Each structure stands twice: as structure tokens, then as C-alpha cells.
């Protein structure tokens, strides 16, 4: 019975298209990696959006406050929406990156396979993933923004009696009822501005650093994790201010004072600098560093394990296979 089951599963894996394997591998890796760093993500969002309440407490103080008022589960508030978003996001991101890379190589004869290719493919893959999953990110932020015991506070313009969302579905419903589809995509502009350079730079730095690794160590998972972590840190530093702007726009209806209505990316950016100073644009960045390293480590490790389990060929082998198959079966496809 076990042998028949194994043979059946082997047949399923072998019959699965390459893009489906990449979707599954990316989704599993993203979901586990995001859950592992959920407490740091929650604190980071609160640092970005509730400056008066949490920045003065610091990292340990914020952890203590949440533990006392909300218990252990408080560290995972909004994580359900986060995972619901990151699974399709990571799946699309990894798969789209591989697909864009293959399309560029297939469609532009003589194109090189250096880091510049990864910069372009990674940028477009990031934008594609964001557009398809952004409403889930908005909901995640709104849920994470809510803090038990804060409804009666009135600090520097915080809305008293703030609306409390009961869950993912309730948040979706109320947000859509208030502002329609446009409301579900509030803050998407700075998100796209940030993800294009971040996703591109992340893949660029990763491949650039790997190019300096001796051939015999390129498959070493420790090397991959080190290169990926550094690449994520560099990319995040360059684009982090846009992440702060995006978070502020997402919780605008909950936190904005009546004296100033934030209307767009530039307006929000200027408001943050004038009100809190330019350092606020990097609020939570050090905390973000703490979560990026384990997140990238877990993500890369699981992605590699899942690709091996699903028998995904190496990237360049897959490119050769797909390109050869495309040219043999559709010789005129490059001109269509």
C-alpha cells in the first residue's frame, strides 16, 4: 500500500508543470518564514503607526505591554491575514521571477544571465505579486494596528473609540463598504514604488554575491542563506522609508487627526517629515533587521527543500529545458 502511494505521488509530481512546482515551493516557504517572525512584524507595524504609544517604550517595553494586555496570541494579531497574503505573494513572487527570467532569455537573443537580468526580473515579479495580493496586506496592517486597551487613549490625534475589526472577513467587508475597491488598494502606490527597487535589488545583490562564491560551494545552503540575508538587508535599507509611508496611508482612517488629511504618497511623506522628523522614515528599521535575517534564512531553506522534494531542476537547467522545448514546438513564437 505504501509503495503504491509513493508511486502515485511520484506520478503526480512528475506530471506537475514547472510553474506549479515553483508556486507551491514559494508559498510554503513564505508562509512558514512569515509566521516565524510574526512578533517582530507586529512590533514593527506598531512602531511605524503608533509612535506616541510604542516608540517611547522601546523593543522590550513594547513586547511587555503586548504580553500583559493581549497575552501570547497578541504577538500574532494580524498574522492570519499576513499568512493569507504571504502564501500567494511568495508563490507569485518566486514563480513570476523564474518566469520573467525565462521569458527575457527566450525573447531577447544574446541576453546575458548576469545580475542585471535578475534585477529586471525581480523588479517585475515584485510588482506583479503586490498587485495581486495588496488588499491582504492592507487588512493585515489594519488588524495588527489594533491594540487592546487603546480605545480610550487620546494621544496626539489618535482617534478615540477606534473601530475594532473582528477578523479578516470583517475588515475586508468594512473597508470595502467605506471606500470600495479603491479603499482596499490605499497605499499601493508607495508599495509599488518600494517593491520594484527592493525586489530587484534583493535578487541583484543575491546573485552578485553568489557570483563571487567558489563553484564547489555554490550549493552550500549556508552560503545561500548568508547571501540572501545580506541582500535582503541592503535592499530593505534603501527602500524602507516607502514602507513607513505605506503603513501610515493604510491606517489613515484610524490614526489621522482632523487637522491634516493624508491624500497621497508625497503628501504623506511630507507630513511624516514635518511632524516627526526624517528619522521617523526609518522607524522600526533596526527591528526589521532582526526579522529579515531569520525570515530570509527560513524562506531560502524551505524553498530549496521544497524544490528538491518537488524535483524542480536548477534555474539554468530549467531555462535550457523550457527554451529548447519552446523553440522545438513553436519555432515562430518569438515573432508572434
Amino acid at each position: 500500500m505504501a509503495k503504491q502511494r509513493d508511486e502515485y505521488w511520484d506520478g503526480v509530481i512528475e506530471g506537475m508543470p514547472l510553474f506549479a512546482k515553483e508556486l507551491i515551493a514559494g508559498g510554503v516557504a513564505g508562509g512558514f518564514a512569515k509566521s516565524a517572525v510574526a512578533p517582530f512584524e507586529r512590533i514593527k507595524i506598531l512602531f511605524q503607526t503608533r509612535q506616541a504609544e510604542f516608540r517611547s517604550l522601546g523593543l522590550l517595553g513594547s513586547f511587555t505591554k503586548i504580553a500583559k494586555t493581549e497575552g501570547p496570541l497578541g504577538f500574532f494579531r494580524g498574522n492570519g491575514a499576513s499568512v493569507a497574503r504571504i502564501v500567494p505573494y511568495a508563490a507569485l513572487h518566486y514563480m513570476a521571477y523564474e518566469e520573467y527570467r525565462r521569458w527575457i532569455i527566450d525573447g531577447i537573443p544574446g541576453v546575458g544571465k548576469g545580475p542585471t537580468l535578475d534585477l529586471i526580473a525581480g523588479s517585475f515579479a515584485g510588482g506583479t505579486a503586490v498587485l495581486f495580493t495588496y488588499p491582504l496586506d492592507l487588512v493585515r496592517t489594519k488588524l495588527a494596528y489594533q491594540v487592546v486597551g487603546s480605545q480610550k487613549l487620546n494621544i496626539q490625534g489618535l482617534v478615540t473609540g477606534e473601530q475594532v475589526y473582528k477578523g479578516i472577513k470583517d475588515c475586508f467587508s468594512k473597508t470595502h463598504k467605506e471606500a470600495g475597491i479603491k479603499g482596499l488598494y490605499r497605499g499601493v502606490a508607495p508599495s509599488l514604488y518600494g517593491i520594484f527597487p527592493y525586489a530587484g535589488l534583493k535578487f541583484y545583490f543575491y546573485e552578485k554575491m553568489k557570483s563571487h562564491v567558489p563553484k564547489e560551494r555554490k550549493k552550500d545552503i549556508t552560503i545561500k542563506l548568508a547571501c540572501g540575508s545580506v541582500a535582503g538587508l541592503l535592499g530593505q535599507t534603501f527602500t524602507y522609508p516607502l514602507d513607513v509611508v505605506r503603513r501610515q496611508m493604510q491606517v489613515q482612517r484610524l490614526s489621522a487627526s482632523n487637522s491634516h488629511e493624508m491624500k497621497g504618497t508625497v503628501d504623506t511623506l511630507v507630513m511624516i517629515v514635518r511632524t516627526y522628523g526624517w528619522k521617523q522614515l526609518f522607524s522600526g528599521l533596526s527591528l526589521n533587521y532582526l526579522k529579515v535575517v531569520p525570515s530570509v534564512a527560513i524562506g531560502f531553506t524551505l524553498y530549496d527543500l521544497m524544490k528538491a522534494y518537488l524535483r524542480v531542476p536548477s534555474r539554468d537547467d530549467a531555462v535550457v529545458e523550457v527554451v529548447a522545448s519552446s523553440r522545438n514546438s513553436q519555432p515562430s513564437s518569438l515573432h508572434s
Side-chain angles (χ1 to χ4, degrees), residues 2-38:
K3 183 177 180 180
Q4 290 179 338
R5 185 172 62 249
D6 290 341
E7 290 178 349
Y8 171 76
W9 183 240
D10 287 342
V12 171
I13 293 178
E14 291 299 332
M16 195 179 297
L18 180 60
F19 78 88
K21 294 179 180 180
E22 292 166 347
L23 279 172
I24 295 172
V28 171
F32 275 94
K34 181 62 74 172
S35 294
V37 298

Side-chain angles (χ1 to χ4, degrees), residues 5-298:
R5 185 172 62 249
D6 290 341
E7 290 178 349
Y8 171 76
W9 183 240
D10 287 342
V12 171
I13 293 178
E14 291 299 332
M16 195 179 297
L18 180 60
F19 78 88
K21 294 179 180 180
E22 292 166 347
L23 279 172
I24 295 172
V28 171
F32 275 94
K34 181 62 74 172
S35 294
V37 298
F40 290 104
E41 182 70 16
R42 175 87 199 280
I43 297 295
K44 187 195 77 170
I45 290 176
L46 292 173
F47 273 18
Q48 291 177 331
T49 59
R50 286 183 177 272
Q51 302 88 3
E53 290 180 73
F54 285 89
R55 285 193 67 193
S56 60
L57 295 176
L59 180 60
L60 293 179
S62 296
F63 269 101
T64 301
K65 177 181 175 67
I66 292 177
K68 287 183 178 179
T69 59
E70 303 180 43
L73 292 180
F75 294 109
F76 294 88
R77 183 181 292 275
N79 188 57
S82 182
V83 172
R85 165 193 170 266
I86 203 62
V87 169
Y89 174 84
L92 283 170
H93 197 171
Y94 280 112
M95 186 275 290
Y97 164 69
E98 306 285 6
E99 289 293 323
Y100 282 132
R101 193 174 185 276
R102 286 193 286 264
W103 290 346
I104 293 172
I105 293 174
D106 188 18
I108 306 177
V111 68
K113 296 180 182 179
T116 301
L117 171 63
D118 298 292
L119 175 68
I120 297 172
S123 296
F124 280 100
T128 299
V130 164
L131 287 176
F132 277 95
T133 62
Y134 186 79
L136 287 167
D137 182 55
L138 177 80
V139 169
R140 182 275 301 266
T141 299
K142 286 192 172 186
L143 291 175
Y145 175 81
Q146 296 178 158
V147 178
V148 173
S150 294
Q151 290 89 341
K152 296 180 180 181
L153 293 177
N154 185 19
I155 304 175
Q156 294 187 4
L158 285 175
V159 178
T160 58
E162 67 177 75
Q163 185 176 25
V164 177
Y165 300 111
K166 299 176 181 179
I168 298 174
K169 184 178 180 180
D170 184 54
C171 189
F172 260 114
S173 178
K174 289 178 178 177
T175 301
H176 184 268
K177 186 176 181 180
E178 290 171 359
I181 296 296
K182 184 178 179 180
L184 292 173
Y185 277 87
R186 180 155 195 84
V188 72
S191 185
L192 286 173
Y193 298 156
I195 196 60
F196 267 91
Y198 173 64
L201 287 172
K202 183 174 65 175
F203 281 110
Y204 175 84
F205 288 134
Y206 179 60
E207 295 300 326
K208 188 70 173 177
M209 286 186 290
K210 280 207 311 180
S211 67
H212 296 289
V213 176
K215 187 175 182 180
E216 64 273 13
R217 299 204 63 189
K218 285 187 180 294
K219 293 185 178 181
D220 188 333
I221 193 63
T222 304
I223 296 297
K224 291 183 178 181
L225 295 177
C227 292
S229 298
V230 174
L233 291 174
L234 291 174
Q236 187 71 205
T237 301
F238 291 140
T239 60
Y240 191 78
L242 289 169
D243 186 51
V244 175
V245 171
R246 172 168 60 105
R247 298 299 185 198
Q248 287 285 354
M249 292 179 69
Q250 288 176 337
V251 300
Q252 166 177 238
R253 290 182 177 276
L254 300 177
S255 64
S257 65
N258 295 327
S259 62
H260 187 91
E261 179 71 15
M262 293 180 284
K263 298 179 180 180
T265 305
V266 176
D267 186 52
T268 304
L269 180 66
V270 172
M271 185 281 297
I272 292 174
V273 174
R274 286 179 176 176
T275 306
Y276 305 105
W278 66 269
K279 290 184 178 180
Q280 177 59 26
L281 294 176
F282 293 91
S283 176
L285 180 57
S286 59
L287 181 63
N288 209 49
Y289 287 154
L290 292 178
K291 80 179 185 66
V292 163
V293 173
S295 178
V296 171
I298 294 171

